[in-house]
Amino acid sequence: GESVGLHLPTLSVQEGDNSIINCAYSNSASDYFIWYKQESGKGPQFIIDIRSNMDKRQGQRVTVLLNKTVKHLSLQIAATQPGDSAVYFCAEIPYGQNFVFGPGTRLSVLP
Amino acid sequence: NAGVTQTPKFQVLKTGQSMTLQCAQDMNHEYMSWYRQDPGMGLRLIHYSVGAGITDQGEVPNGYNVSRSTTEDFPLRLLSAAPSQTSVYFCASSYSNRRTDTQYFGPGTRLTVL
């Protein structure tokens, strides 16, 4: 919902441009990662995942990059559309442990 | 399929009141969980269940109870509401507790405790 996003960093991009959303994770034992999209007033929705044995994974208009050296994930959205406006957050999942969710970044697509 | 449904969508309570947040799924998923989402923070796990009759605590279980009498339903009970429990609550389900199974989230319940 809107109140969840009030304290989040915001990325504003022009419609049609590419978006890059970043996420730093904390646990070097994390070997599985997920990106979620959360539209206003809705629950989170799975976008794409990546295992630590990969550096890059592509989906439809989305690409996730993983840099294990600096414990950093990024989500790239190609040709950003108005429907992409949402909060995006990552989750790190060490084997046998619970998900750890990041606070997220609000993506605002400008017409 | 309706997916994961939650009721109510909004709720205002006074300190000390109790209430139950309802969650149901029609996907025959074994794993269900409750999270809370607070401004500027990531989702935090409250309680989870790996199947009917089995529940366990997550990261922030204090002040909440759960039960799982059926596969479909996983209600969250607030025993004596406190202002610190003001949050948005999400229920989620997945086929199993394997981390690679996609979790499906409900639309959330926005709770305000005065």
Side-chain angles (χ1 to χ4, degrees):
Chain A
E2 286 299 324
S3 66
V4 172
L6 284 176
H7 303 269
L8 299 177
T10 297
L11 173 67
S12 296
V13 299
Q14 292 292 138
E15 182 178 352
D17 286 351
N18 296 335
S19 303
I20 300 176
I21 301 169
N22 297 305
C23 174
Y25 64 94
S26 58
N27 190 342
S28 56
S30 294
D31 61 348
Y32 181 59
F33 306 88
I34 300 174
W35 276 101
Y36 292 89
K37 173 184 181 183
Q38 186 176 15
E39 295 177 88
S40 182
K42 296 185 179 180
Q45 180 181 10
F46 172 97
I47 302 174
I48 191 168
D49 60 358
I50 187 168
R51 294 181 182 272
S52 61
N53 61 353
M54 305 172 70
D55 296 325
K56 178 180 179 179
R57 190 167 190 214
Q58 289 183 291
Q60 188 175 10
R61 278 202 310 119
V62 295
T63 300
V64 55
L65 299 178
L66 175 61
N67 185 330
K68 294 180 289 293
T69 303
V70 295
K71 291 188 287 188
H72 182 268
L73 278 166
S74 67
L75 178 71
Q76 301 178 1
I77 304 174
T80 310
Q81 302 169 0
D84 295 325
S85 292
V87 172
Y88 291 83
F89 56 87
C90 67
E92 58 176 302
I93 309 98
Y95 183 79
Q97 299 183 37
N98 292 326
F99 287 41
V100 177
F101 295 87
T105 296
R106 175 175 294 281
L107 176 65
S108 178
V109 181
L110 308 173
Chain B
N1 286 353
V4 179
T5 57
Q6 291 183 239
T7 56
K9 195 162 181 61
F10 301 95
Q11 183 70 50
V12 179
L13 292 178
K14 294 182 179 178
T15 296
Q17 287 185 315
S18 63
M19 78 158 296
T20 299
L21 278 63
Q22 301 292 344
C23 174
Q25 52 89 11
D26 61 359
M27 297 174 281
N28 202 31
H29 285 171
E30 290 297 324
Y31 184 81
M32 297 185 73
S33 54
W34 277 100
Y35 293 92
R36 59 178 289 172
Q37 188 175 44
D38 299 299
M41 299 180 68
L43 292 168
R44 290 184 293 168
L45 182 65
I46 304 171
H47 284 285
Y48 64 94
S49 168
V50 297
I54 305 169
T55 63
D56 209 343
Q57 296 182 349
E59 179 187 355
V60 289
N62 291 343
Y64 308 95
N65 272 358
V66 291
S67 60
R68 185 94 180 270
S69 56
T70 67
T71 299
E72 296 78 18
D73 300 298
F74 191 44
L76 178 73
R77 279 181 288 277
L78 279 69
L79 310 173
S80 178
S84 61
Q85 293 179 303
T86 293
S87 188
V88 181
Y89 291 84
F90 290 99
C91 178
S93 76
S94 57
Y95 180 74
S96 77
N97 63 343
R98 278 200 314 257
R99 57 187 179 156
T100 53
D101 285 347
T102 301
Q103 284 200 78
Y104 295 88
F105 288 84
T109 293
R110 185 181 301 275
L111 176 68
T112 302
V113 183
L114 303 176

